[in-house]
Amino acid sequence: MESVSDTGRDPVRDPAGDPAGTAALRLMAVHAHPDDESSKGAATMARYVDEGVEVLVVTCTGGERGSILNPALKDRPDIEANIADIRRREMEHAREILGVEQHWLGFVDSGLPEGDPLPPLPDGCFALVPIEEATGRLVAEIRRFKPHVITTYDENGGYPHPDHIRCHEVSVAAFDAAADPDAYPELGEPWQALKLYYDVGFSMGRIEALHAAMTAQGLESPFDEWRERHAKSQEDGKRRPPNITTRVDVGDWFERRDQALLAHATQVDPNGWFFAVPLDLQRQAWPTEDFELARSMVDSPVPEDDLFAGIRERVDA
Ligand SMILES: [Zn+2]
């Protein structure tokens, strides 16, 4: 694949010839709502922050239409009336715990449509904004932050929320457009990120491993319903199985992940399934967070255990 030229200038990484932009490794994680960054890939981000990587979370929407999932905070008019502000504060708290930077892309939550037939999406929501407009905002942020690695969701969005699917579409489009001098020329100098990953946080391999570990200990597994749902979706043949290419060892960062998720107090049940498996058991049964390498501009054979595999060599040089 591409190699660094003799002049030391890497035309792929550094199309604008900006040597100052290559000093540190940078990771951008694009998410749909505040709280998604803490439930998907959070331990990986915390580990890379501790290793000196600059990590930026981009949050597409404000999460204004998220349901209140913490039983202790349900049916509270004071919370419902101020949910946008509350979620901004929750995000700030989670951001501090993870040690990342965070940027709001500024779109409005589409909400998860429920019912049969499904109701139409609300006017002006993220999933209805023209994709060129949403892509442009992310392109501007990519060109400003200059990430080497970008993470997002797969084409199913991880789960079928219209904002998650849109987040995937916008991230993939922006990965290419940010590097294209003819695309959005008014939004900064081109920047080619080197790898694009899809989060694979909840593979059935992991669910089954945690389920087996709980059962072996005589503990009640929280994954029965999950396994039934999965078996049904397999019958429907709707979703391809994830292609895990990359396992990042992050067992030592599970506490930070959980603390960050708990910071989104309105959005999680502290007694719910996410926190049901003891962390030591998780570390034994499945100590990694997993990803699918979707695009790579560097020589990085899979499987791998580092999102920056094939990049460190180039950037440290
Ligand atoms: Zn979400």
Side-chain angles (χ1 to χ4, degrees):
M1 293 203 193
E2 304 85 356
S3 61
V4 178
S5 72
D6 291 337
T7 61
R9 165 137 181 240
D10 178 348
V12 173
R13 185 185 68 227
D14 185 14
D18 169 21
T22 62
L25 296 171
R26 288 178 298 277
L27 169 65
M28 171 186 279
V30 188
H31 286 285
H33 309 108
D35 77 17
D36 287 319
E37 83 295 329
S38 295
S39 60
K40 298 174 246 308
T44 300
M45 290 196 289
R47 173 182 155 173
Y48 281 124
V49 165
D50 286 359
E51 292 177 354
V53 174
E54 261 187 85
V55 181
L56 174 70
V57 169
V58 174
T59 314
C60 294
T61 78
E64 300 86 349
R65 292 193 172 92
S67 312
I68 293 177
L69 299 175
N70 185 341
L73 300 175
K74 269 192 174 145
D75 303 320
R76 289 258 306 263
D78 56 320
I79 290 178
E80 278 160 26
N82 297 298
I83 192 66
D85 283 350
I86 289 168
R87 296 203 68 179
R88 286 186 88 85
R89 285 203 297 275
E90 290 175 344
M91 181 67 236
E92 180 60 15
H93 189 190
R95 188 196 67 68
E96 283 172 8
I97 290 167
L98 293 174
V100 300
E101 301 166 51
Q102 192 252 348
H103 175 78
W104 299 98
L105 218 51
F107 295 103
V108 176
D109 192 337
S110 306
L112 181 62
E114 287 175 303
D116 186 13
L118 291 174
L121 292 170
D123 280 349
C125 71
F126 179 47
L128 294 181
V129 169
I131 191 158
E132 300 75 20
E133 183 186 336
T135 302
R137 281 200 213 172
L138 185 56
V139 163
E141 196 55 18
I142 291 172
R143 289 176 178 172
R144 183 195 70 78
F145 181 69
K146 301 181 169 59
H148 303 99
V149 172
I150 297 177
T151 69
T152 185
Y153 315 134
D154 70 16
E155 66 278 9
N156 297 306
Y159 85 116
H161 189 300
D163 289 336
H164 284 234
I165 291 166
R166 197 54 149 186
C167 178
H168 160 81
E169 293 166 345
V170 167
S171 302
V172 171
F175 182 90
D176 289 328
D180 179 355
D182 296 328
Y184 306 95
E186 71 285 7
L187 296 180
E189 294 293 321
W191 178 259
Q192 175 71 69
L194 297 178
K195 287 164 118 181
L196 177 70
Y197 286 96
Y198 300 155
D199 177 89
V200 192
F202 301 104
S203 65
M204 278 320 289
R206 176 167 175 248
I207 297 299
E208 292 293 352
L210 296 178
H211 177 82
M214 288 293 273
T215 307
Q217 295 285 321
L219 298 168
E220 190 187 341
S221 165
F223 298 114
D224 282 334
E225 200 183 315
W226 193 303
R227 296 168 74 231
E228 277 165 33
R229 243 193 353 253
H230 176 74
K232 188 170 179 324
S233 79
Q234 289 298 97
E235 283 164 24
D236 297 346
K238 275 191 190 145
R239 291 175 64 161
R240 68 176 174 92
N243 173 26
I244 295 174
T245 58
T246 312
R247 297 174 186 272
V248 186
D249 199 335
V250 291
D252 290 345
W253 286 268
F254 284 167
E255 282 91 352
R256 285 258 291 284
R257 174 201 64 191
D258 285 5
Q259 290 305 312
L261 189 57
L262 287 167
H264 293 282
T266 61
Q267 301 301 306
V268 291
D269 178 354
N271 300 309
W273 64 267
F274 198 95
F275 307 103
V277 183
L279 294 184
D280 279 338
L281 209 54
Q282 292 191 41
R283 282 187 267 266
Q284 286 165 27
W286 202 274
T288 59
E289 284 182 339
D290 309 324
F291 299 85
E292 173 176 349
L293 179 60
R295 300 278 301 279
S296 180
M297 316 299 285
V298 297
D299 196 3
S300 56
V302 295
E304 47 177 25
D305 62 4
D306 176 16
L307 301 183
F308 292 95
I311 295 177
R312 290 177 187 275
E313 303 80 335
R314 301 161 59 116
V315 175
D316 288 347

